[in-house]
Amino acid sequence: QVQLEESGGGSVQVGGSLRLSCAVSVVSGSIFRIKDMAWYRQASGKQRELVAVISDERSTTYADSVKGRFTISRDNVKNMVYLQMNDLSSEDSAVYYCSADCTTRIDNVVSRRDYWGQGTQVTVSS
């Protein structure tokens, strides 16, 4: 099993910046590979939307609403994915979730699926 845990959320003023982190961990003895890693967000009363995704080759894509302001990155040594958010606006207020497309091998059983964190709140105020 794979676990994801987000951190770095909080309150910030319009125009400010935040950096979100997501730690990916796996049970002892498991071997896994992580392909795409992504950040999603869900504002109150709205559907969850994809914010940014980064592949295992570090190819990135962004939602139009965050292009030029957000940067997704990953550290394969630390098994971390980050989201640097700059020039924040009230429209960015949401719960942010990280996800990872993981392939695991446990007792010679190979499985691939998306895993999700619990989310971290980002509130942008004026």
Side-chain angles (χ1 to χ4, degrees), residues 10-16 88-93 122-126:
S11 297
V12 65
Q13 291 185 307
V14 171
L88 288 163
S89 72
S90 60
E91 299 297 317
D92 298 314
S93 294
V122 172
T123 302
V124 184
S125 62
S126 59

Side-chain angles (χ1 to χ4, degrees), residues 52-84:
V53 59
I54 182 168
S55 73
D56 54 352
E57 298 181 348
R58 290 183 169 81
S59 175
T60 59
T61 56
Y62 296 90
D64 288 340
S65 60
V66 306
K67 286 181 179 178
R69 299 187 299 117
F70 289 12
T71 302
I72 187 172
S73 61
R74 63 191 288 170
D75 185 331
N76 293 330
V77 175
K78 297 180 179 180
N79 292 332
M80 300 281 290
V81 60
Y82 308 94
L83 185 68
Q84 178 65 47

